[in-house]
Amino acid sequence: MQDDKNLSEIDIEGQKIIANKELSIWEALIPVIALIGMLAYNVFVFGDNALSGSNQFILILGGATAAIVGFKNKVSYKVMIDEVAENIKSTAGAILILLMVGALAGTWLISGIIPSMIYYGLQILNPTIFLAACLIICAVISIATGSSWTTAATVGIALIGIGEALGISLGMTAGAVLSGAYFGDKMSPMSDTTNLAPAMAGTDLFTHIKYMAYTTVPTIIVTLIFFIILGFTQNTTGTADTQQMLSDINKAFNINPFLFLVPIAVVILIMKKTPPLIALLAGTLLGGVFALIFQPQVVAQVAGVKSLDFNSAYKGVMNAITVKTSVATDNEVLKDLFTAGGMEKMLGTIWLILCAMIFGGVMDAIGALAKISSFLLNLFDSVFGLFASTVATCIGLNFTASDQYLALVVPGKMYAKAYQDKGLAPENLSRTLEDSGTVTSVLIPWNTCGAYHSGVLGVPVIDYAFYAVFNWLSPFMTLLFAAFRIKIREIIKK
């Protein structure tokens, strides 16, 4: 395979893993420990801005640390670069999907599809079932936008105000908002974490979403029941006045139920097992067509003209697909929701993936991943032990590295080989990453997600943590499934 005599290849389900007989477990762990330490300090210094590029460079420094360990153990530079190239090549599908997701979000905004979802969702509010309604509304909006951050910063703020007017605890309302927002964030194909987890584990997007539903749907049902019961114990006062927001949405867009034909078409394509790129491309193009039919004034605004012709229509739709676009509104709460980033918005996540592949590629090339995998398999004789270790690592990284993306990236690369050696399909790992890494980030005050949401909603983490039932129940649900071997897919029969 290569000139380095101390290296050998192990083939598991067609994927080659490099083993290094000269590498000890402690040497294999040096880059991981160094990476976690550097990331923790970096997030401490940069806070929410760490994802703007410094975290990505820290991943490269982690790869450099691994390279130093490799050189010490007689691994050549060429072997490391070749493995990095293979790793990056393996993420090509995920990167293309991420770009298409950004494009789809842009046309779904200017076509009025996302605003229509919000418009009809807000009308189901009722004081008696307010908390359950918060959960449902935020879940729908988060699925549509693929972002828990956008959901909390827009409708979440409005719901906090409404809940306060009704005399409902801010912690309860924030817990319902975040439970729904993170359910949608997990299950939406437009979510960056939902794309990141399968990319790290080695499975595809829609297999990941389908497999994740086994643990996520029961968790959200339990959460919904909790808020329904909790809602009936509240003595609410006042009324839920959403008329101003509804009026402002109506002023900016032509709200029409026919717009739902586009997401329905995409869902049908997905159910018929259409390749994700084709389904997302179809949704993007249909969104552009519907924008021209139902929202010509919005397309003209995005294009920067007063009246549409063929060239300006093309420019408006293309802007929505590729770059950041905003639809004008006087409502401060709606301004963020009326903004989409297009394909450009996804470049930060793609940058993170590429840098993660550098770290993972060098770790693989020097034999560190194989060594850690072997150590884990010896340490955990049971399947449950491996799942429990993954959950603990993800939550631990949320505490130490303070970033949900890194709580997916590092365990994803570190545990992928261990799951393969156990004969477990990669979707087991991707699901566990999301069940424990994505959702628990908001429960930690110094994590970027906890700091962001508590700041945006104006509710301290300690006040909403208990009521964010979906977020803390998800890791327990994935462990329950692992303990009783429920929906644990195998690729190798032992």
Side-chain angles (χ1 to χ4, degrees), residues 280-296:
L280 293 172
L281 176 61
T284 299
L285 297 177
L286 284 173
V289 171
F290 273 55
L292 295 172
I293 296 171
F294 290 95
Q295 321 292 342

Side-chain angles (χ1 to χ4, degrees), residues 188-362:
S188 173
M190 291 187 286
S191 166
D192 45 8
T193 56
T194 307
N195 282 272
L196 188 60
M200 293 300 100
T203 187
D204 66 89
L205 174 62
F206 290 110
T207 298
H208 167 62
I209 292 175
K210 179 181 177 181
Y211 203 67
M212 193 164 50
Y214 292 128
T215 56
T216 304
V217 171
T219 306
I220 198 66
I221 290 173
V222 171
T223 305
L224 180 60
I225 293 171
F226 171 83
F227 281 113
I228 290 173
I229 295 172
L230 188 62
F232 280 107
T233 67
Q234 303 301 303
N235 294 318
T236 58
T237 59
T239 58
D241 182 14
T242 60
Q243 289 307 308
Q244 185 59 51
M245 183 177 288
L246 294 173
S247 174
D248 289 336
I249 294 173
N250 234 331
K251 191 185 300 182
F253 291 92
N254 172 23
I255 302 300
N256 194 306
F258 283 108
L259 291 168
F260 290 102
L261 290 174
V262 177
I264 289 171
V266 174
V267 169
I268 291 172
L269 287 173
I270 293 170
M271 291 176 63
K272 289 186 172 295
K273 301 186 184 302
T274 304
L277 274 174
I278 295 176
L280 293 172
L281 176 61
T284 299
L285 297 177
L286 284 173
V289 171
F290 273 55
L292 295 172
I293 296 171
F294 290 95
Q295 321 292 342
Q297 79 287 355
V298 174
V299 178
Q301 181 189 135
V302 170
V305 298
K306 291 184 178 179
S307 60
L308 281 181
D309 55 21
F310 181 83
N311 289 339
S312 58
Y314 170 81
K315 181 179 179 181
V317 173
M318 192 60 71
N319 280 344
I321 289 173
T322 56
V323 297
K324 182 178 180 179
T325 53
S326 298
V327 178
T329 177
D330 294 328
N331 192 313
E332 289 296 324
V333 174
L334 292 174
K335 279 186 177 179
D336 283 342
L337 195 61
F338 284 4
T339 301
M343 298 170 81
E344 181 183 48
K345 181 185 177 183
M346 295 300 174
L347 295 180
T349 303
I350 292 171
W351 186 10
L352 181 69
I353 290 175
L354 293 176
C355 292
M357 292 302 101
I358 293 172
F359 173 73
V362 178

Side-chain angles (χ1 to χ4, degrees), residues 7-90:
L7 300 179
S8 60
E9 284 185 350
I10 307 167
D11 195 325
I12 298 179
E13 291 295 297
Q15 182 166 354
K16 298 191 183 306
I17 304 167
I18 299 175
N20 187 342
K21 62 184 179 182
E22 294 193 10
L23 192 72
S24 71
I25 183 61
W26 300 112
E27 288 177 315
L29 288 172
I30 286 173
V32 176
I33 296 169
L35 178 66
I36 293 172
M38 288 188 291
L39 289 171
Y41 178 73
N42 193 61
V43 172
F44 171 76
V45 172
F46 284 93
D48 290 348
N49 292 323
L51 274 176
S52 299
S54 55
N55 272 351
Q56 285 88 327
F57 185 68
I58 292 297
L59 283 165
I60 294 177
L61 289 180
T65 305
I68 293 171
V69 174
F71 289 139
K72 179 181 178 296
N73 286 274
K74 303 175 183 178
V75 181
S76 71
Y77 176 79
K78 182 180 183 304
V79 168
M80 288 186 258
I81 287 297
D82 287 347
E83 197 62 27
V84 168
E86 284 298 314
N87 261 22
I88 292 175
K89 180 181 176 182
S90 70

